[in-house]
Amino acid sequence: MSKSNSIVVFGSANVDLVVRCARLPRPGETVTGSGHQLLPGGKGANQALAARRAGGDVSFCGAVGRDAFADTALANLIEAGVGLDGLHRIDAPTGLASICVDASGENAIAISPGANAAAALARDMTADDLLVTQNEVPAAAVGEAHRRAKAAGARVVHNAAPAAPLSADQMQLIDDLIVNELEFAEIARAFDSAPDPTPEGLLALAKATETRIVVTLGPAGARAALGGVLLDVPARAIKPLDTTGAGDAFVGAYAAALAAGGDDEAALSFAVAAGTLACLALGAQSSSPTAAEIEAHLSGA
Ligand code: RIB
């Protein structure tokens, strides 16, 4: 597989309406929060920003509206220097996520896709590109992006979030699949494989799908089956303030490390550190760490 230098993230951009509350509401219940903020979000935009802050040369493809929310959604990408040539502004509302974050940093999220529902990969791919995708834009557009990337010889990193099954044909177009435990179970079911990412379960699914698979394990770090090799990378213990976007920081940092030519174990450690640091501030993007911050964390600072 050739080394990729340029990262293309195709995915969603949202505004996140974040309410902090002592605990998450149950169905039919109203809880009173202690404050709210309108912040940039969306898994695609979060991952693009994370990859950029982690040192990548990054462009973002997606769709936002012509409304004021679009400015909020794009503010951090513009400030960080993420390329936006592949971004479309269309006649639809910018995507919105309604997020409650509880005292332990856990969240509950409902999204309204808005413009994301019309997103398509609006740029040519080359063999030097590394494409990063997720499941918050239409599955057909993601599949088409994978086909075009593979036809061009690019590497494909797919984060199957939110959870959705993947067919064997779709898996063939993915080089690196990144999932959490729930998403792992969803995909394993379709391949009659064990639902838990135990070492045996993970190696079995990676073999059955012929795909490199990385499973994020929250505070426990990450486990990966990469080319038949099992890797376990623990995370340092922290007190999380908000776990929103931690998975996105992981994916962005992993992509940045691969694009820089890092080996698998170093890329995983870098990604675990990024995901950990991303839990230390409110919002999906505010705490997305820089390469220097990740390196400092890894060296014990
Ligand atoms: O992964 C976190 C993201 O999920 C939030 O930023 C929200 O927009 C939803 O897309």
Side-chain angles (χ1 to χ4, degrees):
M1 191 172 298
S2 65
K3 175 180 156 190
S4 300
N5 298 310
S6 176
I7 299 169
V8 178
V9 180
F10 169 50
S12 57
N14 291 335
V15 286
D16 290 353
L17 178 56
V18 184
V19 177
R20 278 197 73 85
C21 34
R23 61 177 178 78
L24 303 179
R26 290 184 287 259
E29 184 189 25
T30 301
V31 298
T32 300
S34 56
H36 61 275
Q37 280 175 275
L38 202 57
L39 297 169
K43 294 187 193 305
N46 297 344
Q47 292 176 15
L49 182 75
R52 178 70 184 141
R53 286 197 181 154
D57 168 16
V58 184
S59 55
F60 173 70
C61 295
V64 294
R66 301 184 202 280
D67 48 12
F69 276 3
D71 299 332
T72 301
L74 301 176
N76 285 339
L77 298 184
I78 292 169
E79 189 192 350
V82 171
L84 294 178
D85 287 354
L87 178 84
H88 284 162
R89 282 187 181 249
I90 64 171
D91 289 328
T94 296
L96 175 80
S98 172
I99 303 179
C100 290
V101 180
D102 74 11
S104 73
E106 189 53 87
N107 63 42
I109 305 180
I111 57 171
S112 172
N116 294 308
L121 179 66
R123 59 161 276 169
D124 292 333
M125 299 296 296
T126 74
D128 286 336
D129 290 330
L130 186 158
L131 177 68
V132 178
T133 55
Q134 329 73 34
N135 288 338
E136 268 187 358
V137 292
V142 173
E144 177 60 17
H146 291 174
R147 274 188 291 281
R148 286 177 46 204
K150 292 315 290 177
R155 182 170 184 162
V156 173
V157 175
H158 180 61
N159 172 219
L166 283 166
S167 68
D169 286 350
Q170 289 170 307
M171 288 295 269
Q172 283 198 341
L173 299 172
I174 297 168
D175 296 293
D176 295 72
L177 175 72
I178 304 179
V179 287
N180 66 19
E181 290 164 275
L182 287 175
E183 294 149 5
F184 179 90
E186 179 83 34
I187 291 164
R189 197 172 303 125
F191 287 86
D192 286 330
S193 196
D196 296 318
T198 59
E200 300 74 28
L202 176 54
L203 284 167
L205 186 61
K207 189 171 178 198
T209 58
E210 296 176 6
T211 304
R212 292 157 50 95
I213 301 180
V214 177
V215 185
T216 58
L217 302 170
R223 170 172 292 157
L226 303 173
V229 177
L230 188 82
L231 291 170
D232 268 308
V233 177
R236 270 173 60 191
I238 52 146
K239 191 170 182 308
L241 187 71
D242 179 6
T243 57
T244 312
D248 299 329
F250 181 103
V251 173
Y254 181 77
L258 291 184
D263 69 33
D264 289 337
E265 195 160 1
L268 269 184
S269 299
F270 195 71
V272 167
T276 302
L277 290 167
C279 297
L280 297 178
L282 188 71
Q285 294 187 6
S286 348
S287 55
S288 188
T290 62
E293 289 166 340
I294 297 169
E295 296 295 355
H297 182 81
L298 284 170
S299 64

